[in-house]
Amino acid sequence: MTEQQTPRRGRGRRPADEVRGEVLAAAGDLLLAEGMAGFTFERVSAISGASRTTLHKWWPSRGALAAEAYFRTVESTLAFPDTGDIAADLTEQLLAFVRLMTRTAAGRVIAELIGSAQTDPELAAAYREHYSAPRRALAVTAVEAARDRGQVRDDVDAEAVVDQLWGACYHRLLIPDQPLTEAFARTLVDQLVRGLRPA
Amino acid sequence: MTEQQTPRRGRGRRPADEVRGEVLAAAGDLLLAEGMAGFTFERVSAISGASRTTLHKWWPSRGALAAEAYFRTVESTLAFPDTGDIAADLTEQLLAFVRLMTRTAAGRVIAELIGSAQTDPELAAAYREHYSAPRRALAVTAVEAARDRGQVRDDVDAEAVVDQLWGACYHRLLIPDQPLTEAFARTLVDQLVRGLRPA
């Protein structure tokens, strides 16, 4: 039997966007609770009520579904502040990111997503489309606005700033030779803004 | 039959260090040629001549063997220069690292090693012990020496410098929203040394 022949609980009549949003919310909860190990189409189908046929139609792999669900779940936590003071805004956003990584299961999940992405092209594409590329763009926009206000050098490379702040945090998340802490996040911004040269 | 009963080609009489070095060299060649997908104890045993019993005795998992073999293979390429000019030394070492990542199979291999390490504790431990921790220590020593010469601020956080230079490169290697290039490596050093503030 296909879904079209047997719409369950009237879902067949509901807008696809609504069903999709519910699936992503349920998938995000599962992901944060159990990590990638327990994350399967079967489990997401069971807790969201959407059929596996529907899930496979919308997402090419469990990795692609996981990446989009992760992004939807953490999106609001990671809004970019705009107070007009770039050092304060970068610090605030980086602190929110570090807290999410270290105080919730999101850190383990994102490490597993990035890990799996190294050998799963569909997950890698979904991760970049739904998560890393849009978040990078937000930070770049903020740095470029600060440049236009004269708060940072005219020749700032905003893309490289992203790597020197968030990338530095991902480095400690993925290769934990040193701890990822709020003090570290503050140091990253301070050291990059002031530079290494003696005052 | 165990290895003890039938020493092949007289290997039983050779110093363990010598056999170990040969195994790591053969394993490193295999790793750079085929990546993690083709990297098994069986293949390493076949090309090195060491028995699988020996390999299992020395390395708890194929990941642990891969991490140590990778380190031995790239070690000489990544020596840390000391010209007395910290910006030049950091740039030179970072350029050597970027070339290794982008012009040889090492980039794909290290991405796979870090990826697998997220769900393989033995690989993660071997990676940190044999590769990331010692390399981090070399860079920290260089930055601290520059601080003692007065070339960088007294309050420099040398550990964070590692994350803001090499970590930034790993970020682009693992999440390639932007390309890992030699120009990027030069920008990282320049931007960190000068700082973001307007001159």
Side-chain angles (χ1 to χ4, degrees):
Chain A
M1 290 190 295
T2 68
E3 192 179 40
Q4 282 68 33
Q5 291 168 322
T6 57
R8 290 180 298 173
R9 287 180 262 158
R11 279 182 194 278
R13 295 174 181 276
R14 295 167 58 214
D17 274 2
E18 194 180 310
V19 178
R20 195 182 163 93
E22 283 179 13
V23 170
L24 288 170
D29 290 345
L30 176 63
L31 197 58
L32 289 189
E34 305 194 12
M36 282 296 284
F39 192 85
T40 61
F41 274 139
E42 192 166 5
R43 293 285 306 280
V44 174
S45 172
I47 60 173
S48 71
S51 73
R52 289 173 67 179
T53 306
T54 298
L55 299 185
H56 281 285
K57 192 175 65 187
W58 284 339
W59 293 281
S61 68
R62 75 179 189 116
L65 172 54
E68 192 173 344
Y70 178 81
F71 178 62
R72 288 280 190 105
T73 305
V74 304
E75 197 173 11
S76 61
T77 317
L78 296 173
F80 214 101
D82 182 8
T83 64
D85 175 345
I86 188 65
D89 289 350
L90 290 173
T91 301
E92 207 47 54
Q93 214 289 337
L94 211 57
L95 287 173
F97 174 70
V98 168
R99 287 181 199 121
L100 183 69
M101 292 298 108
T102 54
R103 294 185 192 174
T104 77
R108 182 172 52 94
V109 169
I110 207 166
E112 289 180 3
L113 286 174
I114 296 171
S116 300
Q118 304 314 312
T119 48
D120 179 342
E122 282 166 347
L123 170 51
Y127 182 88
R128 289 165 58 184
E129 178 187 345
H130 294 291
Y131 186 66
S132 60
R135 293 209 52 233
R136 175 180 276 275
L138 287 175
V140 165
T141 300
V143 172
E144 290 180 344
R147 180 198 59 200
D148 296 344
R149 290 194 305 264
Q151 289 189 332
V152 298
R153 290 177 177 276
D154 284 344
D155 63 349
V156 68
D157 185 325
E159 295 285 357
V161 169
V162 174
D163 300 292
Q164 295 189 286
L165 298 180
W166 288 270
C169 291
Y170 280 108
H171 189 228
R172 291 201 173 187
L173 179 71
L174 296 168
I175 310 170
D177 287 317
Q178 289 286 319
L180 178 57
T181 63
E182 295 186 29
F184 172 65
R186 292 181 190 280
T187 296
L188 290 176
V189 176
D190 179 65
Q191 195 149 271
L192 184 59
V193 169
R194 291 200 297 152
L196 297 184
R197 280 196 188 135
Chain B
M1 290 190 293
T2 68
E3 190 179 41
Q4 283 67 35
Q5 290 168 322
T6 58
R8 289 180 298 172
R9 289 180 261 158
R11 279 182 193 277
R13 295 172 181 278
R14 295 166 58 214
D17 276 0
E18 192 180 312
V19 177
R20 195 182 164 94
E22 282 180 13
V23 169
L24 287 170
D29 290 345
L30 176 63
L31 196 58
L32 288 189
E34 305 195 11
M36 282 296 284
F39 192 85
T40 61
F41 274 139
E42 193 167 2
R43 293 285 306 280
V44 174
S45 172
I47 60 173
S48 71
S51 73
R52 290 173 66 179
T53 305
T54 298
L55 299 185
H56 282 283
K57 191 174 67 187
W58 284 339
W59 293 280
S61 68
R62 74 178 189 118
L65 172 54
E68 192 172 345
Y70 177 82
F71 178 61
R72 287 283 189 104
T73 305
V74 304
E75 196 173 13
S76 61
T77 317
L78 296 173
F80 214 100
D82 181 8
T83 65
D85 175 346
I86 187 65
D89 289 351
L90 291 172
T91 301
E92 207 48 53
Q93 214 289 337
L94 211 56
L95 287 173
F97 174 69
V98 168
R99 286 181 199 122
L100 183 70
M101 292 298 107
T102 55
R103 295 185 192 175
T104 77
R108 181 172 54 94
V109 169
I110 207 165
E112 289 180 4
L113 286 174
I114 296 171
S116 301
Q118 304 313 312
T119 49
D120 179 341
E122 281 166 347
L123 169 51
Y127 182 87
R128 289 165 58 185
E129 178 187 346
H130 294 292
Y131 186 66
S132 59
R135 292 210 52 232
R136 175 180 276 275
L138 286 175
V140 166
T141 300
V143 172
E144 290 180 344
R147 180 198 60 200
D148 296 343
R149 289 194 305 262
Q151 290 189 331
V152 298
R153 288 177 179 277
D154 283 345
D155 62 350
V156 67
D157 185 325
E159 295 285 357
V161 169
V162 175
D163 300 292
Q164 294 189 285
L165 298 180
W166 288 270
C169 291
Y170 280 108
H171 189 229
R172 291 200 172 189
L173 179 71
L174 297 168
I175 310 170
D177 288 316
Q178 289 287 319
L180 179 57
T181 64
E182 295 186 29
F184 172 65
R186 292 181 190 280
T187 297
L188 290 175
V189 176
D190 179 64
Q191 196 149 271
L192 184 60
V193 168
R194 292 199 298 152
L196 296 184
R197 280 195 188 135

